[in-house]
């Protein structure tokens, strides 16, 4: 099971100087086996928000275009791109030289370098979601690049800041918790951590669903539904 530390913090306030290796060890010794802790931001090193300022035709390839792209603080770079939806003014994911991506979302990651594509120098790469492992979060077409225009971000922002991906993920062995169904979710893990360190646990807040469907839901036995 993958557990987001940011989600855990919604329910239990951890010390700012919490040693995550100690947290993993304490959980393993007390309740469930933590196999690994991943710093999520490391997946996206070298990926920034870019803003396409101008789209020019490629002189040697009909399906490629030259995107004059602001990668932060007004620094404009020419990036050759074959995405069908590239357009002036949109915000995109730019893999800077040195970043690692999966070419067309397939195979092993490759390092991006300044290179010439059909005779035109390209600084970095404008990415689609599958090339950076975010196809489930930001689905797009096979020949489309990821459009970040709807997000509150600007050119030069790291992708982790733009998409709020600064998180640590605990990888918990499912076999170690088969007898603890109360921990098959973030709230159960948060409750265990609160008990381990004698910290207060926030209650789950009711979810206010604004739905006008002419349906009425009610609880017949409130004593058996503690959260109603």
């Amino acid at each position: 099971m993958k557990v987001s530390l940011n989600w855990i913090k919604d329910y239990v306030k951890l010390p700012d100087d919490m040693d995550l290796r100690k947290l993993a060890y304490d959980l393993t010794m007390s309740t469930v086996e933590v196999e690994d802790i991943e710093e999520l931001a490391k997946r996206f090193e070298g990926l920034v928000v870019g803003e396409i300022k101008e789209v020019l035709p490629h002189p040697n390839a009909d399906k490629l275009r030259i995107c004059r792209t602001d990668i932060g603080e007004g620094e404009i770079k020419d990036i050759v791109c074959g995405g069908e939806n590239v357009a002036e003014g949109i915000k995109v994911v730019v893999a800077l030289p040195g970043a690692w991506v999966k070419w067309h979302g397939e195979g092993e990651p490759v390092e991006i370098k300044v290179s010439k594509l059909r005779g035109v120098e390209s600084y970095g790469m404008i990415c689609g979601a599958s090339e950076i492992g975010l196809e489930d979060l930001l689905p797009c077409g096979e020949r489309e690049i990821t459009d970040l225009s709807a997000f509150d971000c600007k050119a030069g922002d790291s992708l982790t800041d733009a998409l709020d991906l600064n998180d640590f993920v605990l990888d918990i062995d499912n076999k170690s918790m088969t007898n603890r169904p109360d921990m098959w979710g973030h709230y159960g893990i948060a409750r265990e951590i609160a008990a381990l360190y004698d910290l207060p646990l926030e209650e789950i807040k009711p979810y206010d669903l604004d739905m006008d469907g002419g349906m009425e839901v009610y609880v017949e036995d409130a004593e058996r539904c503690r959260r109603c």
Side-chain angles (χ1 to χ4, degrees):
M1 183 171 76
K2 305 288 188 180
V3 175
S4 160
L5 204 62
N6 285 348
W7 288 18
I8 293 295
K9 290 177 181 178
D10 287 342
Y11 304 117
V12 57
K13 182 173 176 56
L14 300 176
D16 293 336
D17 59 350
M18 168 67 77
D19 183 338
L20 297 185
R21 292 295 167 186
K22 183 178 186 305
L23 171 63
Y25 177 82
D26 291 344
L27 274 173
T28 299
M29 291 297 100
S30 68
T31 317
V32 296
E33 183 179 345
V34 180
E35 296 186 318
D36 192 22
I37 300 177
E38 180 189 6
E39 185 177 357
L40 197 58
K42 287 188 175 180
R43 290 190 198 177
F44 309 104
E45 290 180 339
L47 302 180
V48 302
V49 177
E51 183 175 348
I52 298 178
K53 294 297 186 180
E54 187 178 7
V55 179
L56 303 173
H58 192 292
N60 303 316
D62 293 338
K63 292 185 178 181
L64 297 178
R65 281 171 284 181
I66 302 169
C67 299
R68 308 212 68 230
T69 306
D70 183 354
I71 60 171
E73 299 183 352
E75 185 179 3
I76 307 298
K77 296 291 186 180
D78 288 347
I79 303 177
V80 176
C81 181
E84 295 176 340
N85 59 328
V86 294
E88 181 180 320
I90 69 171
K91 298 173 185 176
V92 295
V93 180
V94 175
L96 300 176
W100 291 77
V101 304
K102 285 189 175 183
W103 192 255
H104 297 299
E106 299 177 354
E108 295 298 317
V110 296
E111 184 180 1
I112 297 301
K113 301 177 181 179
V114 177
S115 58
K116 286 189 176 182
L117 295 178
R118 300 291 295 273
V120 176
E121 187 173 277
S122 179
Y123 185 90
M125 174 180 173
I126 296 175
C127 302
S130 65
E131 293 168 320
I132 54 176
L134 291 178
E135 58 270 26
D136 292 333
L137 179 64
L138 301 168
C140 58
E142 183 178 351
R143 290 185 53 81
E144 292 182 344
I145 50 89
T146 297
D147 186 350
L148 298 178
S149 301
F151 290 87
D152 183 14
C153 57
K154 65 181 185 304
D157 286 351
S158 69
L159 186 65
T160 52
D161 288 339
L163 301 183
D164 194 21
L165 295 173
N166 289 296
D167 196 3
F168 289 86
V169 177
L170 306 182
D171 186 358
I172 296 176
D173 179 21
N174 290 341
K175 295 190 298 293
S176 67
M177 56 195 302
T178 53
N179 65 327
R180 290 293 304 271
D182 59 307
M183 296 183 67
W184 294 353
H186 280 74
Y187 192 71
I189 299 294
R191 181 171 51 236
E192 189 71 14
I193 293 173
L196 273 174
Y197 300 114
D198 194 23
L199 298 171
L201 180 69
E202 294 284 338
E203 292 186 6
I204 294 180
K205 296 178 174 60
Y207 182 71
D208 186 17
L209 180 61
D210 184 14
M211 182 175 68
D212 184 16
M215 299 174 62
E216 183 178 353
V217 178
Y218 56 90
V219 177
E220 292 183 343
D221 190 345
E223 292 184 0
R224 293 190 175 186
C225 186
R226 296 182 294 110
R227 295 177 186 161
C228 67

